Amino acid sequence: MSQNALRAADPASPEVMSKRAWWLVGLNILVPGSAQTLAGNRRFGRFAMGLSILFWILLAATIVAALVLRGQLLLVLANPIVLWALAAVLGLYGLLWVVCTLDTVRLSRLVRVRPASRAGVALLAIVALVATGGAAFAGAAFAGRAAHVLAEVGSNTIQIIGPDGKPIQVGPFTGSANVLLVGSDSGDGNPAYGERGEALNDVTILIHLSTKSQSATAVSIPRDLYVGQPACRKPDGTTVPAVQQARFNTALSRGGLSCVVAAVQQLTGLTIPYAALVQFDGVVAMSDAVGGVTVCLAAPIDDPYTGLKLPAGANTLQGQTALSFLRTRHGLSTGSDLQRISNQQVFLSALVRQITSGNTLGDPNKVLGLADAAAKNMQLSTQLGQTGTLVSMALALKSIPLERIAFVQYPPRPPTSTGRA
């Protein structure tokens, strides 16, 4: 149908007006603004068409980049500023769709269209508006939420202070790094966990990640291991003196995350540039975010202190049940912390398997849920809290085969007179 026929159609002919309406709605679906350019306000139509074409070019470029340079694209999109800009673009495009569609329906002059076509034209316009405009608004909302979560992760960080009193500095993640994961028993002030007293690092796991060897190793350090602990710096800059011998889980209460890092570095001789502090609620939130973590138990668990009862075999742990599983000792056969460490490793192994599966990493809502859980319930070291580092590590972990991820336990030893275990 020619431009003149679209602009100067005979309103007295229902047949012509019906054909014109179908064309206008179809053109609006293909390129918003084209209907206005051909049959309405040409200035607005050209403006809308220009924006639409630019949007489709950017979308095509993004799809190509996702296929060819996926890692680099994720690094760019992990920037909160980029995500806010993307949210604004998608929101404006959705608004443009609404305006163009409503104006196209007006230009169609449905009262002049054959009754048999009237409902079809209107329905096509509405379906297209909901599908495309709705997708744009949903994308804008998701990008805005992701920007907020990533900004929250970056703002809620802890500076690791070295023995020289200066913050530990590290370059960009290049494929190999040591990351310390510390679980605090403080409850972070949540009254549901009762009076907690001093904050103890009851869970201390050192993770070595290497893309060069395509492997990851997580070493759990027993909380009851007695070792000498070095002098370290509190967040306020004051120095905590060294101790000749102390139970390992007192490192956090001595001076915070930096003191746990210092204790692990002295114990292992390794440099630790990245660390994270996790609270009780973090376990609950992360297990909820992935839809539960399935573990296989060789024996049933019956803990009279917490009320946790789990049968032998496969159990999907979520929420408070997941937390109780990680904390229980009295429900285990020996009641020891070493047996609890084994449970923690079983849970973490299953969590890694769940996260690296396509069901989690392939679901943007689950990925965002994990990030949101981390933002609200974890404190990352300043270097680890950088979004580029987080994305690089996530991609590195995803590239490692599950059979090359090992969970081991630091060997417990009795205390000695020298204070070294």
Side-chain angles (χ1 to χ4, degrees), residues 104 107 376:
T104 299
L107 292 173
K376 291 181 170 59

Side-chain angles (χ1 to χ4, degrees), residues 213-248:
S213 62
Q214 284 289 286
S215 66
T217 304
V219 183
S220 294
I221 301 175
R223 69 169 194 168
D224 295 328
L225 182 69
Y226 278 80
V227 295
Q229 296 189 20
C232 53
R233 298 273 183 164
K234 289 184 177 181
D236 61 7
T238 58
T239 300
V240 180
V243 291
Q244 187 180 33
Q245 182 171 265
R247 199 167 66 174
F248 199 84

